[in-house]
Amino acid sequence: MIWNEKIETMPRAELQELQSERLSKLVAYVYERVPFYRQQLDQAGIAPGDIQDIRDLGKLPFTVKADLRDNYPFGLFAVPREEILRIHASSGTTGKPTVVGYTRDDLQIWAEVCARSLAMSGAKPGDMFQNAYGYGLFTGGLGMHYGAEYMGVAVVPASGGNTARQIMILQDFQPDIMACTPSYALTLADRLLEAGVDPAELKVRAFILGAEPWTEEMRRELEAKLHVDAVNIYGLSEIIGPGVSNECVEAKDGMHIMEDHFLPEVIDPQTGQPVPEGQVGELVFTTLTKQALPLIRYRTGDLCSITYEPCICGRTHARMSRILGRADDMLIVRGVNVFPSQVEAALLQVEHIAPHYAIVLTRENHLDVMEVQAEVTDAFFQRVGSDVFARHPAEVAESIQALERQVHQALRDVLGLNAKVTLLAPGQAPRSEGGKLRRVIDKRAL
Ligand code: ADP
Ligand code: ZN
């Protein structure tokens, strides 16, 4: 079903008119209320009335994550503290987290876009939803929670982790829809199969997966293991949280952006200029309706492309591709740009390789060395025998060597780079305990 038929299938000309109207209001709003933006606009020589149309968007200055940090914690808020009803913060791998706030209306918009996302994923009122996104400062849990309730879906607020309990809920409560990170879905799938649970015993029909990059290969793997539709959801706290965009289950071909609230652009990260439609660049959002933390041309650091081609589901909103990686996730190995998602895609093309891996970067004689540690499947492991595997590589069995060569070649084809390949026994690579998973260990700076 389409949750908000009128908005989601709005003819594009009409949608653009709505966006223009909202954009012009937004510029006046931030000029009036946020000292940071008043200064930015003054510096750029822009008066609030100058921006009347989304075609003027390029005249506005960018906002970057550092601007949020410099104004930590509440400095960019556009409403008095008393009007803020919710505060979240993103983890922030270094230093202080990024803090975001919501007014009552913001929370309503968030519930709306999450309800749309759930509907795109195949949920409908009356369903039951197991929400295994983390509840807490992370936006994932509570964001989806209120979207589901707003839709009329029963929520099981499982939160992340505690895999045995997640499996119990899946078996005993029989939810229709589940959400978690893709790496955690894999943990769950493996544990379910280990426990001898037949996916056919479960009612769950869709997994809504996001918060970290994943690949088409991973989708195939998860759909086959779990007998579900695996759909992609995207969001970031600064813009609202989950629900910025979501795939429709009909096409599973790009995530529809909630364009009436979040105006997207794709730019060349070096020059800041827009790239042509369909080309990969850095995703930039302007929030058109948010009250507490309105952001103008916020640079997400996420790399993807956008298409405005009509979709078979009938929605008219633009679709963004999978995120290839965050600009700051990109590894530079001997001058070659490598995204962990490319490594994943390469590995999953090779038969007998499980979707569990780690990337370890070191420096030997001033040269970068990329080691890809990839797990073999259980079946392969059983076949060659664990004792043989343990002695490897001293007495390498021919089949192991051949598999290593295959992985090496797949990585070379995709990355254009010679990686050191280490095959791991099942269970040796890192697993998600419930949230986002770090698969890269960069020891080069140590
Ligand atoms: P944190 O900064 O703590 O990770 P967020 O939840 O705000 O907190 O993270 C948002 C980021 O997560 C996005 O900018 C993007 O890099 C990543 N992300 C979210 N959803 C997806 C997705 N479906 N595919 C790839 N990356 C995603
Ligand atoms: Zn669609």
Side-chain angles (χ1 to χ4, degrees):
M1 73 177 286
I2 298 184
W3 176 250
N4 191 331
E5 191 92 36
K6 179 171 181 302
I7 291 285
E8 293 178 77
T9 63
M10 190 176 257
R12 288 213 60 87
E14 212 176 304
L15 180 62
Q16 284 165 356
E17 216 167 284
L18 179 68
Q19 291 172 324
S20 291
E21 204 179 290
R22 289 180 170 175
L23 178 65
S24 110
K25 278 201 195 122
L26 168 77
V27 176
Y29 180 84
V30 298
Y31 192 85
E32 190 62 36
R33 288 168 175 251
V34 186
F36 165 80
Y37 275 124
R38 175 179 294 239
Q39 200 185 353
Q40 290 263 305
L41 293 169
D42 281 343
Q43 257 170 27
I46 297 167
D50 291 351
I51 307 294
Q52 294 293 339
D53 192 295
I54 50 171
R55 278 168 298 190
D56 297 329
L57 192 59
K59 294 181 188 159
L60 292 166
F62 290 114
T63 308
V64 294
K65 200 171 185 110
D67 296 328
L68 284 158
R69 289 229 180 90
D70 294 347
N71 292 282
Y72 174 86
F74 305 145
L76 293 188
F77 286 6
V79 299
R81 225 296 290 128
E82 295 69 30
E83 285 178 38
I84 302 280
L85 292 193
R86 181 91 66 74
I87 293 167
H88 282 282
S90 79
S91 53
T93 35
T94 50
K96 297 275 192 191
T98 308
V99 180
V100 300
Y102 305 77
T103 64
R104 189 179 298 281
D105 287 358
D106 292 340
L107 290 173
Q108 181 47 45
I109 290 171
W110 196 12
E112 159 76 22
V113 295
C114 285
R116 286 188 208 169
S117 300
L118 280 152
M120 286 186 202
S121 310
K124 54 182 191 317
D127 278 348
M128 192 198 293
F129 169 54
Q130 182 167 341
N131 188 6
Y133 277 126
Y135 280 65
L137 284 180
F138 175 58
T139 51
L142 286 170
M144 294 301 279
H145 181 100
Y146 285 100
E149 285 191 353
Y150 178 54
M151 171 174 235
V153 163
V155 188
V156 185
S159 196
N162 201 339
T163 309
R165 193 177 60 191
Q166 303 280 4
I167 291 176
M168 180 202 76
I169 296 171
L170 275 168
Q171 286 186 295
D172 297 350
F173 299 7
Q174 294 286 345
D176 306 277
I177 310 282
M178 177 147 188
C180 60
T181 58
S183 56
Y184 190 57
L186 206 52
T187 300
L188 256 182
D190 288 350
R191 288 281 293 280
L192 271 169
L193 298 178
E194 265 168 44
V197 179
D198 177 359
E201 290 167 33
L202 306 177
K203 200 176 164 208
V204 66
R205 61 175 191 271
F207 267 62
I208 308 177
L209 304 173
E212 64 187 3
W214 55 305
T215 57
E216 277 313 306
E217 287 76 8
M218 185 70 87
R219 176 177 357 239
R220 278 199 289 279
E221 177 94 24
L222 287 169
E223 290 191 335
K225 279 190 169 156
L226 293 164
H227 301 193
V228 295
D229 287 310
V231 296
N232 202 358
I233 184 168
Y234 169 85
L236 65 167
S237 337
E238 297 91 309
I239 298 306
I240 204 151
V244 172
S245 66
N246 199 99
E247 270 177 341
C248 60
V249 71
E250 294 91 332
K252 289 186 197 162
D253 186 18
M255 298 177 273
H256 288 287
I257 299 169
M258 315 296 167
E259 275 191 276
D260 51 327
H261 295 296
F262 316 118
L263 182 62
E265 296 172 85
V266 181
I267 62 161
D268 177 329
Q270 255 78 54
T271 65
Q273 291 303 310
V275 302
E277 182 177 340
Q279 207 159 299
V280 174
E282 182 177 352
L283 185 61
V284 172
F285 280 110
T286 299
T287 64
L288 293 174
T289 49
K290 250 185 3 165
Q291 296 173 335
L293 184 60
L295 291 177
I296 290 189
R297 302 192 82 199
Y298 183 70
R299 292 182 63 153
T300 63
D302 292 325
L303 300 172
C304 71
S305 62
I306 290 186
T307 173
Y308 292 87
E309 290 286 309
C311 182
I312 53 164
C313 71
R315 292 178 182 84
T316 51
H317 292 203
R319 280 173 291 157
M320 54 185 265
S321 70
R322 282 186 182 283
I323 303 292
L324 297 174
R326 289 206 216 199
D328 50 12
D329 273 353
M330 190 179 78
L331 308 167
I332 304 185
V333 183
R334 297 193 183 189
V336 179
N337 298 349
V338 175
F339 286 104
S341 57
Q342 291 176 295
V343 172
E344 177 176 311
L347 288 176
L348 295 189
Q349 284 167 15
V350 182
E351 206 188 347
H352 309 309
I353 293 295
H356 298 287
Y357 62 95
I359 302 169
V360 183
L361 295 159
T362 49
R363 197 158 272 158
E364 281 171 22
N365 304 323
H366 308 290
L367 278 181
D368 295 333
V369 177
M370 180 169 80
E371 178 185 356
V372 174
Q373 304 178 342
E375 267 182 31
V376 299
T377 57
D378 272 324
F380 180 85
F381 188 66
Q382 301 304 337
R383 187 151 54 75
V384 298
S386 52
D387 52 329
V388 177
F389 208 87
R391 285 197 307 271
H392 167 79
E395 292 171 40
V396 190
E398 177 56 30
S399 55
I400 298 180
Q401 248 181 1
L403 185 56
E404 253 175 17
R405 275 197 302 273
Q406 256 180 296
V407 172
H408 184 266
Q409 188 59 41
L411 289 166
R412 234 178 96 130
D413 291 346
V414 173
L415 307 173
L417 193 90
N418 284 315
K420 184 174 158 198
V421 174
T422 305
L423 296 180
L424 302 177
Q428 297 304 300
R431 296 286 194 278
S432 166
E433 300 294 329
K436 306 193 191 209
L437 176 60
R438 280 234 148 266
R439 290 184 170 104
V440 180
I441 306 152
D442 195 343
K443 297 180 175 167
R444 291 177 299 183
L446 301 179

